Amino acid sequence: MALDPGPTATEALARLAEERVDHRFKGLPPDAGGLTVGELAAQRRNLFTGGFTTPVLALSAEHLEHNLRLMAAYTDRHGLAFAPHGKTTMAPQLFRRQAEHGAWGVTLAVPHQVRVARAFGVRRIFLANELVDAAALRWIAGELAADPAFALVCYVDSVRGVELMDAALRGTGRPLDVVVELAAGDGARTGVRTGAECAAVADAVAAAPALRLAGVAGYEGEVPEADPGRVRAWLRRLVALAAEFDRAGRFRGVDEIVVSAGGSAWFDAVADVFAEIPRLSAPVLKLLRSGAYVSHDDGHYRELTPFARVAGEGALEPAFRLWAQVVSRPSREQAFVNAGKRDAAYDLGLPVAQVVRRDGAERPAAGIEVTALSDQHGWLRTAPEADLDVGDWLGMGLSHPCTSFDKWQLIPVAEADGTVVDYVRTFF
């Protein structure tokens, strides 16, 4: 199981419900101040009539559960282990739900995120990044020594990085498992560029007592000018690297060989190519790391997701909606809502106006377009058919969940009728 089922992890998650609601958590009802999160959830207030203030971000309870189930079924059907990218949400409650849906573990990116995950009992972590911070390495070594069930795997992509890791970990206990990161191409992000460099890094790991080579990995989302052919070609390079290392005896002594990839745009290609992995000297852990599926989105991933390309696999549902209020209507062509860059993801697309609420009635946001965001205002262009007035609530879909969760520390989870049944705590 990805999470420790014991009392320590259970108590840590339970303590989230004991946290007091106060000024730290935007959008929550002012009259709820002093209640615990659990007490507020038990009241099952309505998002629209229960005293919530705008702007307020909400997760759809139904769509969230649908997405968790769909991805669990997908990875099981394709024979993939799953370590969803937790840096998308940084929400231990969602880590738990992913574990309950069969996740192998959690993927993270930096030491702080590992500390959060460990505080809530996560026992399997794939750190999709190079790690050369001596203080962080020593802390991880302590966690490995204290918990024999804890496993962490991280990237290496240079001889110098291997040397720094070995120096920081020397004498600390069991070796740290690492995977050679294969770059997605020249000019891509991190990772080793050539076969000769891959071999040199692997040789350096073999010479480092504090490290153990456990596999190969990378991120196909960085393939330059990515298309199905280029992505699959890179994935086959990754698989070939694993086979080459295995023939050379580089994985001697490991119980399983890790081969890992998978963002949220090309996991169909990962499934296809990983199905071609030949028999190696040890069982292969085919580890997918997609994370944005949890909330999905109304922009960047809506058309990119494999579920939109491959018939018969199902469809993810956007689970986020940001509610803001119209605070100014200076002309018939323009209006402003009280949500801006501090509230909405905007790095991969502006929010999409979806619905308008007035006097308890909801209707499509016809003729309304978000054209810009200021710090605390959303700029709206309104066509002649737009029925919009000061005081109306505007519900907006968001692009790129990776920069949505980080703007809200406590997110209401609402059912279709607006009943808030839970609150998700984030740690960014």
Side-chain angles (χ1 to χ4, degrees):
M1 187 179 183
L3 275 81
D4 180 0
T8 301
T10 302
E11 289 169 5
L13 286 164
R15 282 195 295 272
L16 294 178
E18 298 169 2
E19 194 165 12
R20 295 288 172 181
V21 175
D22 57 25
H23 58 276
R24 292 171 296 165
F25 306 124
K26 59 185 180 180
L28 300 192
D31 67 348
L35 295 175
T36 67
V37 173
E39 289 168 343
L40 180 57
Q43 292 182 356
R44 296 177 65 86
R45 295 196 186 195
N46 189 277
L47 188 69
F48 309 110
T49 61
F52 291 84
T53 64
T54 55
V56 60
L57 181 70
L59 274 166
S60 162
E62 295 88 354
H63 291 183
L64 180 62
E65 178 62 20
H66 168 83
N67 293 344
L68 289 166
R69 288 181 181 274
L70 183 68
M71 201 64 178
Y74 180 89
T75 53
D76 183 64
R77 185 162 60 249
H78 290 279
L80 300 169
F82 192 32
H85 221 315
K87 63 95 176 172
T88 301
T89 68
M90 284 309 296
Q93 292 146 290
L94 296 182
F95 295 169
R96 168 68 73 178
R97 291 185 66 175
Q98 289 168 321
E100 290 170 349
H101 283 82
W104 170 92
V106 175
T107 297
L108 299 168
V110 292
H112 156 71
Q113 296 169 358
V114 178
R115 291 187 64 196
V116 171
R118 287 297 291 158
F120 289 91
V122 177
R123 278 186 160 170
R124 294 196 192 119
I125 294 173
F126 188 98
L127 186 64
N129 205 347
E130 279 67 29
L131 178 58
V132 294
D133 184 304
L137 285 162
R138 287 192 293 270
W139 175 80
I140 287 171
E143 291 292 295
L144 290 167
D147 183 359
F150 174 45
L152 184 141
V153 181
C154 74
Y155 283 171
V156 289
D157 76 347
S158 69
V159 172
R160 173 61 175 161
V162 169
E163 292 170 348
L164 289 170
M165 295 178 75
D166 186 53
L169 292 169
R170 189 70 66 91
T172 56
R174 60 183 168 121
L176 176 64
D177 284 339
V178 298
V179 290
V180 171
E181 183 194 7
L182 178 67
D186 291 336
R189 204 163 57 187
T190 54
V192 185
R193 265 51 178 177
T194 70
E197 290 170 322
C198 286
V201 173
D203 286 341
V205 172
L211 304 178
R212 183 175 70 160
L213 185 63
V216 298
Y219 174 47
E220 75 289 342
E222 286 290 312
V223 170
E225 300 178 358
D227 63 23
R230 289 187 177 92
V231 168
R232 283 176 168 79
W234 177 82
L235 286 163
R236 290 190 174 98
R237 282 188 61 206
L238 183 70
V239 169
L241 180 64
E244 178 185 330
F245 277 7
D246 192 50
R247 285 193 298 272
R250 296 188 184 278
F251 298 131
R252 191 174 294 113
V254 300
D255 295 328
E256 59 185 3
I257 298 167
V258 178
V259 182
S260 179
S264 295
W266 297 103
F267 55 80
D268 55 335
V270 175
D272 290 346
V273 176
F274 279 15
E276 303 169 2
I277 295 176
R279 185 179 182 87
L280 302 182
S281 62
V284 177
L285 183 71
K286 303 174 184 180
L287 193 62
L288 183 71
R289 307 194 307 270
S290 312
Y293 80 99
V294 175
S295 60
H296 195 40
D297 74 356
D298 280 290
H300 180 69
Y301 288 114
R302 192 174 184 92
E303 301 303 325
L304 284 177
T305 176
F307 290 118
R309 292 193 296 267
V310 183
E313 292 282 16
L316 293 167
E317 298 287 349
F320 268 138
R321 181 165 281 174
L322 176 64
W323 290 97
Q325 199 164 21
V326 179
V327 294
S328 180
R329 189 81 159 95
S331 73
R332 301 317 300 170
E333 296 78 33
Q334 193 176 42
F336 292 86
V337 292
N338 62 345
K341 293 179 180 178
R342 304 289 184 246
D343 313 297
Y346 60 91
D347 57 322
L348 292 179
L350 291 170
V352 179
Q354 295 178 325
V355 294
V356 176
R357 285 186 66 90
R358 180 189 298 165
D359 299 327
E362 196 170 292
R363 63 183 182 279
I368 302 170
E369 180 186 5
V370 180
T371 60
L373 295 176
S374 300
D375 283 353
Q376 298 294 170
H377 288 93
W379 296 57
L380 307 181
R381 179 187 296 123
T382 53
E385 69 270 22
D387 179 11
L388 194 67
D389 206 350
V390 171
D392 291 347
W393 281 40
L394 180 68
M396 295 173 283
L398 300 176
S399 178
H400 203 199
C402 293
T403 52
S404 296
F405 281 97
D406 65 347
K407 300 179 187 303
W408 297 81
Q409 290 183 296
L410 196 60
I411 304 171
V413 180
E415 294 179 338
D417 65 356
T419 302
V420 177
V421 295
D422 199 2
Y423 296 82
V424 169
R425 184 71 158 93
T426 65
F427 292 84
F428 282 94

mmCIF file of all heavy atoms in Angstrom, residues 8-43:
data_model
loop_
_atom_site.group_PDB
_atom_site.id
_atom_site.type_symbol
_atom_site.label_atom_id
_atom_site.label_comp_id
_atom_site.label_asym_id
_atom_site.label_seq_id
_atom_site.Cartn_x
_atom_site.Cartn_y
_atom_site.Cartn_z
ATOM 1 N N THR A 8 -0.164 6.196 13.098
ATOM 2 C CA THR A 8 0.503 7.477 12.908
ATOM 3 C C THR A 8 -0.062 8.233 11.709
ATOM 4 O O THR A 8 -0.415 9.411 11.799
ATOM 5 C CB THR A 8 2.017 7.277 12.727
ATOM 6 O OG1 THR A 8 2.544 6.619 13.878
ATOM 7 C CG2 THR A 8 2.716 8.619 12.552
ATOM 8 N N ALA A 9 -0.179 7.540 10.574
ATOM 9 C CA ALA A 9 -0.725 8.180 9.381
ATOM 10 C C ALA A 9 -2.197 8.509 9.558
ATOM 11 O O ALA A 9 -2.664 9.581 9.164
ATOM 12 C CB ALA A 9 -0.527 7.274 8.170
ATOM 13 N N THR A 10 -2.942 7.597 10.146
ATOM 14 C CA THR A 10 -4.370 7.829 10.361
ATOM 15 C C THR A 10 -4.590 9.033 11.257
ATOM 16 O O THR A 10 -5.465 9.877 11.003
ATOM 17 C CB THR A 10 -5.025 6.579 10.970
ATOM 18 O OG1 THR A 10 -4.817 5.475 10.092
ATOM 19 C CG2 THR A 10 -6.505 6.789 11.192
ATOM 20 N N GLU A 11 -3.793 9.148 12.305
ATOM 21 C CA GLU A 11 -3.924 10.282 13.221
ATOM 22 C C GLU A 11 -3.541 11.590 12.537
ATOM 23 O O GLU A 11 -4.178 12.623 12.768
ATOM 24 C CB GLU A 11 -3.047 10.053 14.451
ATOM 25 C CG GLU A 11 -3.557 8.964 15.385
ATOM 26 C CD GLU A 11 -2.533 8.572 16.436
ATOM 27 O OE1 GLU A 11 -1.463 9.225 16.491
ATOM 28 O OE2 GLU A 11 -2.784 7.605 17.175
ATOM 29 N N ALA A 12 -2.513 11.550 11.683
ATOM 30 C CA ALA A 12 -2.110 12.763 10.978
ATOM 31 C C ALA A 12 -3.222 13.260 10.072
ATOM 32 O O ALA A 12 -3.514 14.464 10.009
ATOM 33 C CB ALA A 12 -0.839 12.502 10.171
ATOM 34 N N LEU A 13 -3.879 12.348 9.349
ATOM 35 C CA LEU A 13 -4.998 12.739 8.498
ATOM 36 C C LEU A 13 -6.175 13.216 9.330
ATOM 37 O O LEU A 13 -6.854 14.184 8.970
ATOM 38 C CB LEU A 13 -5.409 11.567 7.608
ATOM 39 C CG LEU A 13 -4.455 11.258 6.446
ATOM 40 C CD1 LEU A 13 -4.723 9.877 5.888
ATOM 41 C CD2 LEU A 13 -4.569 12.307 5.352
ATOM 42 N N ALA A 14 -6.422 12.571 10.458
ATOM 43 C CA ALA A 14 -7.534 12.979 11.326
ATOM 44 C C ALA A 14 -7.319 14.377 11.879
ATOM 45 O O ALA A 14 -8.288 15.130 12.069
ATOM 46 C CB ALA A 14 -7.705 11.968 12.461
ATOM 47 N N ARG A 15 -6.057 14.732 12.115
ATOM 48 C CA ARG A 15 -5.769 16.065 12.661
ATOM 49 C C ARG A 15 -6.145 17.176 11.679
ATOM 50 O O ARG A 15 -6.362 18.317 12.095
ATOM 51 C CB ARG A 15 -4.302 16.178 13.064
ATOM 52 C CG ARG A 15 -3.988 15.509 14.392
ATOM 53 C CD ARG A 15 -2.641 15.949 14.929
ATOM 54 N NE ARG A 15 -1.546 15.537 14.095
ATOM 55 C CZ ARG A 15 -0.925 14.361 14.202
ATOM 56 N NH1 ARG A 15 -1.318 13.484 15.109
ATOM 57 N NH2 ARG A 15 0.085 14.053 13.409
ATOM 58 N N LEU A 16 -6.196 16.864 10.391
ATOM 59 C CA LEU A 16 -6.616 17.887 9.434
ATOM 60 C C LEU A 16 -8.043 18.346 9.728
ATOM 61 O O LEU A 16 -8.371 19.524 9.534
ATOM 62 C CB LEU A 16 -6.526 17.339 8.003
ATOM 63 C CG LEU A 16 -5.119 17.026 7.492
ATOM 64 C CD1 LEU A 16 -5.209 16.437 6.083
ATOM 65 C CD2 LEU A 16 -4.242 18.268 7.490
ATOM 66 N N ALA A 17 -8.883 17.428 10.172
ATOM 67 C CA ALA A 17 -10.268 17.781 10.495
ATOM 68 C C ALA A 17 -10.367 18.568 11.792
ATOM 69 O O ALA A 17 -11.390 19.207 12.055
ATOM 70 C CB ALA A 17 -11.129 16.522 10.586
ATOM 71 N N GLU A 18 -9.299 18.549 12.610
ATOM 72 C CA GLU A 18 -9.306 19.263 13.878
ATOM 73 C C GLU A 18 -8.779 20.689 13.759
ATOM 74 O O GLU A 18 -8.838 21.463 14.715
ATOM 75 C CB GLU A 18 -8.469 18.498 14.903
ATOM 76 C CG GLU A 18 -9.016 17.098 15.204
ATOM 77 C CD GLU A 18 -8.052 16.251 15.997
ATOM 78 O OE1 GLU A 18 -6.954 16.761 16.345
ATOM 79 O OE2 GLU A 18 -8.371 15.076 16.269
ATOM 80 N N GLU A 19 -8.272 21.043 12.581
ATOM 81 C CA GLU A 19 -7.742 22.387 12.383
ATOM 82 C C GLU A 19 -8.869 23.409 12.453
ATOM 83 O O GLU A 19 -9.972 23.188 11.947
ATOM 84 C CB GLU A 19 -7.034 22.468 11.030
ATOM 85 C CG GLU A 19 -6.162 23.685 10.854
ATOM 86 C CD GLU A 19 -5.218 23.558 9.670
ATOM 87 O OE1 GLU A 19 -5.405 22.633 8.853
ATOM 88 O OE2 GLU A 19 -4.297 24.379 9.579
ATOM 89 N N ARG A 20 -8.599 24.558 13.075
ATOM 90 C CA ARG A 20 -9.611 25.591 13.232
ATOM 91 C C ARG A 20 -9.730 26.433 11.971
ATOM 92 O O ARG A 20 -8.736 26.806 11.344
ATOM 93 C CB ARG A 20 -9.274 26.502 14.414
ATOM 94 C CG ARG A 20 -9.296 25.809 15.765
ATOM 95 C CD ARG A 20 -10.709 25.487 16.209
ATOM 96 N NE ARG A 20 -10.703 24.642 17.420
ATOM 97 C CZ ARG A 20 -11.807 24.205 18.006
ATOM 98 N NH1 ARG A 20 -12.993 24.516 17.511
ATOM 99 N NH2 ARG A 20 -11.736 23.440 19.076
ATOM 100 N N VAL A 21 -10.962 26.732 11.602
ATOM 101 C CA VAL A 21 -11.229 27.609 10.467
ATOM 102 C C VAL A 21 -11.016 29.048 10.917
ATOM 103 O O VAL A 21 -11.556 29.471 11.938
ATOM 104 C CB VAL A 21 -12.669 27.412 9.956
ATOM 105 C CG1 VAL A 21 -12.999 28.403 8.854
ATOM 106 C CG2 VAL A 21 -12.871 25.982 9.473
ATOM 107 N N ASP A 22 -10.224 29.794 10.146
ATOM 108 C CA ASP A 22 -9.980 31.198 10.490
ATOM 109 C C ASP A 22 -9.611 31.981 9.234
ATOM 110 O O ASP A 22 -9.843 31.530 8.108
ATOM 111 C CB ASP A 22 -8.904 31.323 11.578
ATOM 112 C CG ASP A 22 -7.578 30.672 11.196
ATOM 113 O OD1 ASP A 22 -7.296 30.536 9.985
ATOM 114 O OD2 ASP A 22 -6.809 30.300 12.101
ATOM 115 N N HIS A 23 -8.979 33.135 9.440
ATOM 116 C CA HIS A 23 -8.676 34.062 8.340
ATOM 117 C C HIS A 23 -7.686 33.503 7.327
ATOM 118 O O HIS A 23 -7.535 34.064 6.248
ATOM 119 C CB HIS A 23 -8.101 35.360 8.927
ATOM 120 C CG HIS A 23 -6.864 35.119 9.740
ATOM 121 N ND1 HIS A 23 -6.914 34.748 11.071
ATOM 122 C CD2 HIS A 23 -5.554 35.146 9.409
ATOM 123 C CE1 HIS A 23 -5.686 34.584 11.523
ATOM 124 N NE2 HIS A 23 -4.837 34.808 10.542
ATOM 125 N N ARG A 24 -7.005 32.410 7.627
ATOM 126 C CA ARG A 24 -6.031 31.860 6.678
ATOM 127 C C ARG A 24 -6.695 31.294 5.437
ATOM 128 O O ARG A 24 -6.049 31.194 4.380
ATOM 129 C CB ARG A 24 -5.221 30.741 7.345
ATOM 130 C CG ARG A 24 -4.282 31.186 8.446
ATOM 131 C CD ARG A 24 -3.723 29.974 9.164
ATOM 132 N NE ARG A 24 -4.777 29.220 9.844
ATOM 133 C CZ ARG A 24 -4.638 27.976 10.298
ATOM 134 N NH1 ARG A 24 -3.497 27.329 10.091
ATOM 135 N NH2 ARG A 24 -5.632 27.369 10.925
ATOM 136 N N PHE A 25 -7.948 30.908 5.542
ATOM 137 C CA PHE A 25 -8.593 30.133 4.491
ATOM 138 C C PHE A 25 -9.631 30.993 3.762
ATOM 139 O O PHE A 25 -10.743 31.199 4.251
ATOM 140 C CB PHE A 25 -9.241 28.888 5.077
ATOM 141 C CG PHE A 25 -8.283 28.054 5.894
ATOM 142 C CD1 PHE A 25 -8.561 27.727 7.204
ATOM 143 C CD2 PHE A 25 -7.090 27.615 5.336
ATOM 144 C CE1 PHE A 25 -7.680 26.960 7.951
ATOM 145 C CE2 PHE A 25 -6.196 26.843 6.067
ATOM 146 C CZ PHE A 25 -6.490 26.523 7.376
ATOM 147 N N LYS A 26 -9.249 31.472 2.588
ATOM 148 C CA LYS A 26 -10.117 32.402 1.866
ATOM 149 C C LYS A 26 -11.342 31.694 1.299
ATOM 150 O O LYS A 26 -11.301 30.516 0.941
ATOM 151 C CB LYS A 26 -9.340 33.101 0.749
ATOM 152 C CG LYS A 26 -8.710 32.183 -0.296
ATOM 153 C CD LYS A 26 -7.858 32.994 -1.267
ATOM 154 C CE LYS A 26 -7.220 32.113 -2.320
ATOM 155 N NZ LYS A 26 -6.384 32.885 -3.268
ATOM 156 N N GLY A 27 -12.417 32.455 1.233
ATOM 157 C CA GLY A 27 -13.656 31.964 0.660
ATOM 158 C C GLY A 27 -14.573 31.277 1.642
ATOM 159 O O GLY A 27 -15.764 31.098 1.354
ATOM 160 N N LEU A 28 -14.076 30.863 2.821
ATOM 161 C CA LEU A 28 -14.916 30.143 3.769
ATOM 162 C C LEU A 28 -15.815 31.119 4.538
ATOM 163 O O LEU A 28 -15.500 32.293 4.666
ATOM 164 C CB LEU A 28 -14.054 29.335 4.736
ATOM 165 C CG LEU A 28 -13.143 28.271 4.101
ATOM 166 C CD1 LEU A 28 -12.584 27.361 5.177
ATOM 167 C CD2 LEU A 28 -13.878 27.449 3.052
ATOM 168 N N PRO A 29 -16.936 30.629 5.046
ATOM 169 C CA PRO A 29 -17.886 31.523 5.716
ATOM 170 C C PRO A 29 -17.265 32.226 6.927
ATOM 171 O O PRO A 29 -16.688 31.562 7.803
ATOM 172 C CB PRO A 29 -19.003 30.560 6.156
ATOM 173 C CG PRO A 29 -18.894 29.388 5.239
ATOM 174 C CD PRO A 29 -17.436 29.245 4.965
ATOM 175 N N PRO A 30 -17.385 33.548 7.008
ATOM 176 C CA PRO A 30 -16.829 34.261 8.175
ATOM 177 C C PRO A 30 -17.410 33.770 9.497
ATOM 178 O O PRO A 30 -16.703 33.729 10.514
ATOM 179 C CB PRO A 30 -17.219 35.719 7.904
ATOM 180 C CG PRO A 30 -17.335 35.814 6.416
ATOM 181 C CD PRO A 30 -17.904 34.493 5.993
ATOM 182 N N ASP A 31 -18.681 33.361 9.497
ATOM 183 C CA ASP A 31 -19.291 32.927 10.753
ATOM 184 C C ASP A 31 -18.860 31.515 11.151
ATOM 185 O O ASP A 31 -19.275 31.009 12.198
ATOM 186 C CB ASP A 31 -20.810 33.031 10.688
ATOM 187 C CG ASP A 31 -21.445 32.053 9.703
ATOM 188 O OD1 ASP A 31 -20.703 31.451 8.893
ATOM 189 O OD2 ASP A 31 -22.678 31.891 9.745
ATOM 190 N N ALA A 32 -18.019 30.879 10.319
ATOM 191 C CA ALA A 32 -17.487 29.566 10.670
ATOM 192 C C ALA A 32 -16.192 29.673 11.460
ATOM 193 O O ALA A 32 -15.643 28.647 11.884
ATOM 194 C CB ALA A 32 -17.252 28.732 9.413
ATOM 195 N N GLY A 33 -15.693 30.886 11.644
ATOM 196 C CA GLY A 33 -14.451 31.071 12.387
ATOM 197 C C GLY A 33 -14.523 30.447 13.767
ATOM 198 O O GLY A 33 -15.486 30.660 14.517
ATOM 199 N N GLY A 34 -13.513 29.648 14.100
ATOM 200 C CA GLY A 34 -13.475 28.968 15.385
ATOM 201 C C GLY A 34 -13.945 27.532 15.327
ATOM 202 O O GLY A 34 -13.605 26.732 16.203
ATOM 203 N N LEU A 35 -14.761 27.198 14.321
ATOM 204 C CA LEU A 35 -15.146 25.799 14.144
ATOM 205 C C LEU A 35 -13.938 24.996 13.657
ATOM 206 O O LEU A 35 -13.028 25.549 13.047
ATOM 207 C CB LEU A 35 -16.263 25.665 13.110
ATOM 208 C CG LEU A 35 -17.622 26.286 13.407
ATOM 209 C CD1 LEU A 35 -18.538 26.127 12.198
ATOM 210 C CD2 LEU A 35 -18.249 25.644 14.640
ATOM 211 N N THR A 36 -13.943 23.700 13.921
ATOM 212 C CA THR A 36 -12.945 22.855 13.276
ATOM 213 C C THR A 36 -13.412 22.566 11.848
ATOM 214 O O THR A 36 -14.600 22.703 11.517
ATOM 215 C CB THR A 36 -12.749 21.526 14.013
ATOM 216 O OG1 THR A 36 -13.947 20.746 13.894
ATOM 217 C CG2 THR A 36 -12.403 21.755 15.482
ATOM 218 N N VAL A 37 -12.470 22.150 11.018
ATOM 219 C CA VAL A 37 -12.826 21.789 9.649
ATOM 220 C C VAL A 37 -13.848 20.660 9.659
ATOM 221 O O VAL A 37 -14.805 20.655 8.870
ATOM 222 C CB VAL A 37 -11.567 21.391 8.850
ATOM 223 C CG1 VAL A 37 -11.943 20.843 7.486
ATOM 224 C CG2 VAL A 37 -10.620 22.583 8.708
ATOM 225 N N GLY A 38 -13.676 19.707 10.555
ATOM 226 C CA GLY A 38 -14.616 18.600 10.653
ATOM 227 C C GLY A 38 -16.004 19.065 11.047
ATOM 228 O O GLY A 38 -17.017 18.574 10.518
ATOM 229 N N GLU A 39 -16.081 20.010 12.004
ATOM 230 C CA GLU A 39 -17.387 20.533 12.425
ATOM 231 C C GLU A 39 -18.065 21.275 11.282
ATOM 232 O O GLU A 39 -19.283 21.143 11.069
ATOM 233 C CB GLU A 39 -17.203 21.454 13.631
ATOM 234 C CG GLU A 39 -16.837 20.714 14.907
ATOM 235 C CD GLU A 39 -16.380 21.637 16.019
ATOM 236 O OE1 GLU A 39 -16.033 22.821 15.739
ATOM 237 O OE2 GLU A 39 -16.337 21.187 17.176
ATOM 238 N N LEU A 40 -17.287 22.057 10.534
ATOM 239 C CA LEU A 40 -17.859 22.779 9.400
ATOM 240 C C LEU A 40 -18.354 21.801 8.332
ATOM 241 O O LEU A 40 -19.447 21.974 7.771
ATOM 242 C CB LEU A 40 -16.830 23.744 8.810
ATOM 243 C CG LEU A 40 -17.285 24.568 7.602
ATOM 244 C CD1 LEU A 40 -18.526 25.387 7.922
ATOM 245 C CD2 LEU A 40 -16.147 25.479 7.119
ATOM 246 N N ALA A 41 -17.562 20.763 8.045
ATOM 247 C CA ALA A 41 -17.986 19.775 7.056
ATOM 248 C C ALA A 41 -19.273 19.088 7.483
ATOM 249 O O ALA A 41 -20.155 18.816 6.654
ATOM 250 C CB ALA A 41 -16.880 18.749 6.827
ATOM 251 N N ALA A 42 -19.405 18.821 8.775
ATOM 252 C CA ALA A 42 -20.594 18.139 9.279
ATOM 253 C C ALA A 42 -21.853 18.975 9.105
ATOM 254 O O ALA A 42 -22.967 18.435 9.042
ATOM 255 C CB ALA A 42 -20.410 17.766 10.750
ATOM 256 N N GLN A 43 -21.701 20.296 9.001
ATOM 257 C CA GLN A 43 -22.866 21.164 8.804
ATOM 258 C C GLN A 43 -23.424 21.077 7.391
ATOM 259 O O GLN A 43 -24.546 21.524 7.153
ATOM 260 C CB GLN A 43 -22.493 22.615 9.131
ATOM 261 C CG GLN A 43 -22.214 22.861 10.595
ATOM 262 C CD GLN A 43 -21.895 24.331 10.884
ATOM 263 O OE1 GLN A 43 -21.799 25.165 9.976
ATOM 264 N NE2 GLN A 43 -21.737 24.654 12.164
#
